[in-house]
Amino acid sequence: MGNRLSRITTKTGDQGETGLGDGSRISKSSQRIHCIGDVDELNSWVGMLSASLPKNDDLQPMLDQIQHDLFDLGGELAVPGYNALHSVLVDDLENYLERLNNDLPALKDFILPGGSECAARCHMARAVCRRAERSMVVLLETKHSDDDINLLGLQYLNRLSDLLFVLARVLARRDGGQEVLWKTRHQRES
């Protein structure tokens, strides 16, 4: 890759524009930049989740792979026409999902974000993932041509949000913990 960033402060964005990887410049308020920002925030939340788990935790390789995949997705969005994602990444998410969901009881109630600090961080990542997914849908809907957007990114985000929900359930139940079940006011006061 070489030295890609020799200076962080370039002052080229001072007028509200930013550069894409193909050299073009667009407004920082563009939907593409919103989508890139949402994917970046999601990656940061996955990093926070990873940092809150022990380094030798069995989940670390999966979280590490997800972070790299999200960085690739951000790269695709930042370089129109560039494809870094492959269908095997969605297959990987589905395999993780199946493996983690195997030992969970059937879902009979709505679950509130929480249960443990790690589970809450995972729920935050899930919520941001859903936002990134919506942001990508808007980007696809507002484009005149979707030939520079890899639709696999949308599928990846959809599977990832499912995986993060199941992972939050697993994390909430670790070490004898439990999920926080939603109850109506009447149920809570009874």
Side-chain angles (χ1 to χ4, degrees):
M1 178 186 262
N3 292 333
R4 297 196 34 98
L5 295 175
S6 57
R7 294 181 331 184
I8 300 303
T9 303
T10 62
K11 300 180 185 174
T12 59
D14 288 353
Q15 301 302 312
E17 286 189 343
T18 191
L20 294 178
D22 66 357
S24 63
R25 306 228 13 113
I26 63 173
S27 171
K28 290 183 178 184
S29 69
S30 76
Q31 186 57 39
R32 183 179 292 270
I33 297 303
H34 278 279
C35 195
I36 291 169
D38 289 341
V39 170
D40 185 37
E41 184 181 352
L42 169 58
N43 205 344
S44 298
W45 276 107
V46 174
M48 288 285 291
L49 173 59
S50 176
S52 67
L53 294 169
K55 293 213 180 296
N56 63 347
D57 193 287
D58 290 344
L59 297 171
Q60 291 291 12
M62 177 185 69
L63 295 173
D64 182 63
Q65 183 61 51
I66 290 168
Q67 284 201 276
H68 283 84
D69 296 346
L70 288 171
F71 202 86
D72 286 342
L73 175 55
E76 281 193 358
L77 293 166
V79 183
Y82 170 67
N83 288 331
L85 300 179
H86 302 282
S87 60
V88 70
L89 302 178
V90 174
D91 294 340
D92 288 346
L93 292 180
E94 289 173 354
N95 290 331
Y96 293 140
L97 188 55
E98 188 175 322
R99 190 183 78 218
L100 291 171
N101 203 37
N102 260 354
D103 297 328
L104 290 173
L107 195 56
K108 297 177 183 175
D109 298 289
F110 289 108
I111 297 171
L112 297 179
S116 71
E117 183 176 344
C118 288
R121 288 175 192 244
C122 196
H123 277 293
M124 255 325 275
R126 175 193 53 77
V128 173
C129 188
R130 286 288 190 206
R131 179 172 10 105
E133 182 182 6
R134 291 189 307 271
S135 188
M136 184 170 250
V137 167
V138 172
L139 176 62
L140 287 165
E141 290 174 347
T142 58
K143 298 249 339 126
H144 298 295
S145 166
D146 63 5
D147 50 338
D148 71 342
I149 306 282
N150 184 354
L151 296 176
L152 194 58
L154 186 59
Q155 189 178 5
Y156 184 88
L157 290 172
N158 186 267
R159 290 305 179 291
L160 180 57
S161 63
D162 293 340
L163 174 62
L164 291 169
F165 177 77
V166 169
L167 181 57
R169 292 191 70 202
V170 168
L171 291 169
R173 293 170 160 277
R174 268 193 172 179
D175 302 321
Q178 58 185 340
E179 298 165 281
V180 181
L181 303 179
W182 170 77
K183 296 177 182 173
T184 65
R185 180 180 294 266
H186 177 72
Q187 289 170 321
R188 290 191 316 272
E189 292 173 354
S190 304

